[in-house]
Amino acid sequence: MTKDLPNLPDLRIPAHVAVIMDGNGRWAKQRLRPRAFGHQAGVKSARRIVPASHKAGVKALTLFAFSQENWQRPPTEVSLLMGLFVRTLSREIASLHKNGVRIRFIGDHGDFPAELRKLMRDAEALTLANTGLHLVIAVGYGGQWDIAQAASSLCRDGLPITPAAIESRLVVADLPHPDLLIRTGGEKRLSNFLIWQLAYTELHLVDTLWPDFDDSAFSAALSWYASRDRRYGRVPEAS
């Protein structure tokens, strides 16, 4: 069940929301539990935010689930995360498809387990024609990697490297740039997430740890976004 969300004019609803889901490990530590407990709780938060986004009228939701830098974590934690991805995707894909969600995975997946890569491909194929919320899961993703692969693609095709050309080869080139970025956990950095696309995104940085980020916190983020005056470098017209 999702709680009531703010009654905002359509023009004040962000079309694309991106989320850095931070704080699972610290949440578990506060409860004297292993990090795995926090990651499992984080999945529950993601399950709350997906329907809340759809209900609010958000068109695209991008969740940062696993960065390229996360490969540097202890092998046991990486293995646990890969297993959690497999179990979560296997359990959730039917419900997502039933609710019209289109799911998509972005990043470099070359080092992912074969079982997980197949599940991701199958989920994308199953939901490709869905017209509801566009759910993008960034796994094995890095913003610098994204820009580099775009530039490499242009070089292979013998095309000049311009901002517009790079834009056209980014892995989410077909989506509008995020209007709103939510980062939980109290950190105040982008952590190599969508660094090209976030150039003019409104940054909502909160201390709440991701497993505690609920519908009310999401509603507050949308209300905060609605209060922002987005000028994109311009100045208000003289009165």
Side-chain angles (χ1 to χ4, degrees), residues 138-199:
V139 285
Y141 177 86
Q144 293 171 333
W145 164 85
D146 196 0
I147 296 168
Q149 67 81 29
S152 295
S153 173
L154 292 169
C155 289
R156 286 196 301 271
D157 292 341
L159 298 173
I161 298 177
T162 65
I166 289 176
E167 175 88 25
S168 71
R169 300 295 177 98
L170 296 173
V171 292
V172 285
D174 58 315
L175 292 180
H177 290 183
D179 303 292
L180 170 66
L181 169 73
I182 300 169
R183 177 165 190 157
T184 62
E187 302 295 352
K188 304 185 187 305
R189 55 178 178 266
L190 297 182
S191 295
N192 197 20
F193 179 48
L194 297 175
I195 54 177
W196 180 284
Q197 298 90 336
L198 294 177

Side-chain angles (χ1 to χ4, degrees), residues 13 32 52 70 93 136 139 176 192 202 208 234:
I13 294 293
L32 305 179
N70 287 158
I93 187 57
V136 181
V139 285
N192 197 20
E202 300 295 327
T208 307
R234 299 185 295 268

Side-chain angles (χ1 to χ4, degrees), residues 38-56:
H39 292 311
Q40 291 164 354
V43 169
K44 295 179 181 178
S45 287
R47 292 180 66 192
R48 291 194 295 265
I49 299 308
V50 169
S53 298
H54 177 69
K55 183 176 181 180

Side-chain angles (χ1 to χ4, degrees), residues 51-183:
S53 298
H54 177 69
K55 183 176 181 180
V58 173
K59 302 302 182 184
L61 175 68
T62 298
L63 303 178
F64 200 14
F66 188 84
S67 73
Q68 290 188 324
E69 290 76 18
N70 287 158
W71 287 113
Q72 301 173 41
R73 292 187 177 188
T76 53
E77 182 173 356
V78 171
S79 178
L80 180 149
L81 286 169
M82 293 296 138
L84 183 61
F85 291 157
V86 169
R87 293 192 300 276
T88 301
L89 185 54
S90 299
R91 183 175 61 241
E92 301 294 335
I93 187 57
S95 176
L96 292 170
H97 180 48
K98 180 180 178 181
N99 287 285
V101 174
R102 178 186 173 187
I103 191 167
R104 178 175 175 185
F105 300 91
I106 60 171
D108 183 354
H109 306 142
D111 292 329
F112 279 28
E115 179 187 11
L116 179 54
R117 294 200 304 271
K118 183 178 186 305
L119 279 171
M120 292 191 295
R121 290 194 302 269
D122 290 348
E124 289 178 331
L126 177 66
T127 63
L128 181 62
N130 290 346
T131 57
L133 179 72
H134 195 145
L135 177 61
V136 181
I137 309 295
V139 285
Y141 177 86
Q144 293 171 333
W145 164 85
D146 196 0
I147 296 168
Q149 67 81 29
S152 295
S153 173
L154 292 169
C155 289
R156 286 196 301 271
D157 292 341
L159 298 173
I161 298 177
T162 65
I166 289 176
E167 175 88 25
S168 71
R169 300 295 177 98
L170 296 173
V171 292
V172 285
D174 58 315
L175 292 180
H177 290 183
D179 303 292
L180 170 66
L181 169 73
I182 300 169
R183 177 165 190 157

